[in-house]
Amino acid sequence: MKTKEEMGEKIEKLNDMTAALRAEEDNLSNEQKVILAGSELQSIMLTSLLVNSEEQTRDLLEKFEKRAEELNAKYVEASEANNAELKARIHGMIWTNDIRLDTIKWVLEVDSEMF
């Protein structure tokens, strides 16, 4: 599991990045806005994980893995029903859940693609 110092360093980097993006917020592309939102979510997750034990963090990992399965099943259902609006909403939920999962995996030092 990452140390509190490693997590703190990551939070600082994310906060620096979000501050730089916020300074240019009026001129951001959609891609940069997505990066900003993702970075803010990562920082929030890391901040909340700082006080967790490894067991609590592993419990969260399990919770968000189950949530990923549920969301993926709902996405398939929405696709089969040809419901574009629902698919778009579920896609957003999948995206935020994936950020949470990747952040937790980084903290636990489990293979992760995001970090």
Side-chain angles (χ1 to χ4, degrees):
M1 187 162 157
K2 298 286 184 185
T3 65
K4 291 188 185 306
E5 291 78 21
E6 290 171 307
M7 291 168 45
E9 288 174 14
K10 186 68 170 179
I11 291 168
E12 278 187 47
K13 287 179 186 176
L14 289 166
N15 289 344
D16 288 347
M17 183 182 356
T18 59
L21 288 170
R22 284 265 175 233
E24 299 293 325
E25 194 164 11
D26 293 337
N27 301 318
L28 295 181
S29 68
N30 285 341
E31 182 178 87
Q32 290 170 315
K33 289 176 184 177
V34 169
I35 292 168
L36 175 62
S39 297
E40 288 174 333
L41 179 55
Q42 288 173 2
S43 179
I44 291 166
M45 281 297 300
L46 285 169
T47 301
S48 68
L49 293 172
L50 276 173
V51 297
N52 283 5
S53 68
E54 184 170 346
E55 182 180 346
Q56 290 170 316
T57 304
R58 289 197 183 281
D59 289 344
L60 277 176
L61 177 62
E62 185 177 317
K63 173 187 170 185
F64 287 118
E65 285 176 335
K66 286 180 184 174
R67 178 77 172 141
E69 291 174 14
E70 293 168 2
L71 289 170
N72 287 331
K74 288 180 181 181
Y75 189 84
V76 168
E77 289 174 13
S79 294
E80 290 171 352
N82 204 23
N83 188 336
E85 182 181 329
L86 182 57
K87 279 176 51 176
R89 278 190 284 155
I90 294 170
H91 186 266
M93 289 185 270
I94 289 170
W95 180 76
T96 57
N97 195 68
D98 285 348
I99 290 172
R100 290 179 184 116
L101 276 171
D102 288 341
T103 303
I104 293 168
K105 287 177 180 179
W106 179 80
V107 168
L108 292 172
E109 298 180 304
V110 174
D111 285 338
S112 180
E113 297 173 11
M114 181 167 270
F115 291 94

